[in-house]
Amino acid sequence: SSSIEKELLEPLKFGAFSWLMRARIDLSIDDKNQLDAMLRVPRFALNEMFFAEADASRPTVHETTTPHSGTLVQRSSGVIVSTGTGSTAWMSSASMVSKPDINRILSAAGLHLSDEGLDRVTTRVNSDCVYSPSSTELQYFVREPVMNGWYGRDDEPFSVC
């Protein structure tokens, strides 16, 4: 008890701490199939939110609008929307590219790297989606997008907005 008081409570009592800003997600979903149907999630998310069909065997058709990519209609298994805090959690895991996949892509382009070079490229590619917990930007990742030319484009499965 004395140790907890000294380590946690005394700094609070004397203002010997610093605040760390953490962005949160406030999500509203507009159901275009129903007139004036707006669903507002009743809480703020610290890491991420995921939206998809309630029945996991059915794909979701969704329209995503961002300042950077405009409006995009896609069909997928769902969308993860993440804060900076969440960028090291589910978002990082979902958007991660494996070392064998990167090697296969580079080999198809006629590029062959040493194991160390491949490690550096893999680390660089996978660190691109991690950003500051205090950032007010959000990022999204479309899980398993359907790329059949009917829904959406094949160039926007991941974006920062």
Side-chain angles (χ1 to χ4, degrees):
S1 173
S2 171
S3 173
I4 291 174
E5 183 177 313
K6 201 170 215 150
E7 289 179 38
L8 299 176
L9 299 181
E10 281 186 19
L12 286 174
K13 182 178 176 181
F14 298 109
F17 63 91
S18 60
W19 293 99
L20 176 62
M21 171 63 180
R22 298 282 178 148
R24 293 185 179 257
I25 300 173
D26 182 14
L27 180 70
S28 297
I29 299 172
D30 182 6
D31 187 348
K32 293 194 176 213
N33 293 324
Q34 296 181 15
L35 190 60
D36 296 325
M38 180 70 78
L39 169 67
R40 178 138 192 235
V41 177
R43 63 183 99 22
F44 293 97
L46 176 60
N47 287 348
E48 68 272 312
M49 287 191 163
F50 178 68
F51 64 89
E53 289 288 337
D55 178 355
S57 69
R58 295 182 57 203
T60 301
V61 176
H62 49 86
E63 180 179 290
T64 308
T65 304
T66 70
H68 303 294
S69 62
T71 299
L72 181 62
V73 177
Q74 290 182 305
R75 187 176 189 159
S76 72
S77 64
V79 178
I80 302 169
V81 180
S82 171
T83 64
T85 302
S87 71
T88 60
W90 188 12
M91 177 64 76
S92 177
S93 177
S95 64
M96 189 170 290
V97 182
S98 71
K99 185 176 169 181
D101 284 345
I102 289 176
N103 189 39
R104 196 174 77 243
I105 292 165
L106 292 174
S107 293
L111 301 171
H112 302 282
L113 298 179
S114 67
D115 205 41
E116 286 178 13
L118 195 54
D119 283 339
R120 283 193 304 273
V121 170
T122 302
T123 299
R124 171 61 205 271
V125 166
N126 289 322
S127 68
D128 282 348
C129 74
V130 176
Y131 60 107
S132 172
S134 63
S135 174
T136 58
E137 291 186 316
L138 299 175
Q139 62 183 339
Y140 70 90
F141 182 78
V142 179
R143 292 187 48 111
E144 301 161 337
V146 175
M147 303 293 190
N148 61 9
W150 186 262
Y151 287 99
R153 305 181 310 248
D154 60 359
D155 61 348
E156 288 292 333
F158 173 77
S159 184
V160 174
C161 48

